[in-house]
Amino acid sequence: MKSNRNINYELYLVSDRDVLGGRDFIRSLEEAILGGVTLIQLREKSATSSEFYSLAVKVKELTYKYNIPLIINDRLDIALAVDADGVHVGQDDMPANVVRDILGKDKIVGVSTATLEEALKAIEDGADYIGVGALFPTDTKTDTRIVTLDQLKNIKENINIPVVGIGGINESNIKSVSDTGIDGVAIVSAILGKQDIREAAVKLYNDFSRK
């Protein structure tokens, strides 16, 4: 894996088997990677620990093949078991400073935030990046707080680590999110819920990228 200071967060895919409509999970993630996804977070809230571990092993093989990072949502134990590249935690999960102490300095730690105060605390606790949102209504996560694009821009301008926008981002609003100057967008349904996953990823990557 690259240094955790040199990660490309532009098109950050968050997994959700429920939006795939029965399609093959690993093949769908591979299609997304081939379309431009730069990082994958494995988030399967309904999976048992055994299921989550089995999925993590398979996804780690896939991300290793394409040399992109694998982040595990919340489950520090699973991340350690499969030697994932990092862990993402929310405000109600294990504190980020504890995650950092256990994972060590060479792994990626991400934290979900919705305010500048939370963002600054995440940095103090050792986060490598933050996710900010929800920017728009989303069906894939119900316990969200809405963050405006102006608030997102303010957070980005006042911190010194990468910022990833999360929550309801799709082809109709991604350019407005990109215009805030953030480093990446976290996507679920706008990629995995599409019939042509690879093409959806290509379009979103091109719409967001400022290269």
Side-chain angles (χ1 to χ4, degrees):
M1 190 196 77
K2 304 172 185 175
S3 162
N4 58 359
R5 300 292 182 265
N6 298 305
I7 301 300
N8 182 350
Y9 293 96
E10 284 188 305
L11 194 56
Y12 182 130
L13 180 68
V14 181
S15 76
D16 187 340
R17 289 177 295 173
D18 292 342
V19 305
L20 284 172
R23 289 175 291 175
D24 182 85
F25 183 65
I26 298 301
R27 181 58 191 164
S28 297
L29 296 186
E30 185 168 29
E31 284 293 303
I33 293 170
L34 292 171
V37 160
T38 58
L39 183 151
I40 289 179
Q41 179 191 135
L42 186 61
R43 186 185 76 187
E44 297 295 331
K45 292 293 189 179
S46 62
T48 66
S49 292
S50 177
E51 289 173 329
F52 203 138
Y53 171 74
S54 296
L55 286 172
V57 169
K58 294 174 184 176
V59 178
K60 175 67 188 300
E61 291 176 357
L62 180 68
T63 56
Y64 182 82
K65 174 183 175 181
Y66 288 100
N67 193 32
I68 68 170
L70 170 62
I71 305 297
I72 302 294
N73 178 259
D74 185 18
R75 295 292 302 269
L76 178 60
D77 55 339
I78 301 292
L80 291 169
V82 302
D83 192 27
D85 298 297
V87 172
H88 186 93
V89 293
Q91 292 297 310
D92 297 325
D93 297 326
M94 184 180 292
N97 61 331
V98 177
V99 174
R100 169 60 72 204
D101 286 345
I102 295 171
L103 280 182
K105 63 182 178 61
D106 294 328
K107 297 291 189 178
I108 304 166
V109 175
V111 180
S112 294
T113 64
T115 67
L116 178 58
E117 290 72 23
E118 289 176 356
L120 293 171
K121 179 65 165 59
I123 294 172
E124 181 183 327
D125 287 346
D128 293 296
Y129 75 93
I130 58 167
V132 179
L135 299 177
F136 306 99
T138 173
D139 293 330
T140 59
K141 201 168 188 296
T142 55
D143 56 337
T144 58
R145 295 171 290 167
I146 295 297
V147 177
T148 68
L149 293 179
D150 284 343
Q151 290 170 323
L152 175 65
K153 185 176 181 180
N154 181 60
I155 290 170
K156 171 60 183 173
E157 290 173 348
N158 283 279
I159 69 169
N160 60 359
I161 63 173
V163 175
V164 176
I166 59 178
I169 300 169
N170 57 40
E171 61 276 8
S172 69
N173 57 38
I174 191 169
K175 288 183 179 177
S176 65
V177 177
S178 177
D179 287 345
T180 65
I182 63 170
D183 304 274
V185 285
I187 307 287
V188 186
S189 300
I191 291 178
L192 296 180
K194 299 298 186 180
Q195 192 61 39
D196 191 330
I197 290 173
R198 188 187 305 199
E199 181 56 34
V202 168
K203 186 175 189 311
L204 288 168
Y205 182 86
N206 289 337
D207 285 348
F208 178 81
S209 180
R210 291 177 291 274
K211 292 177 182 176

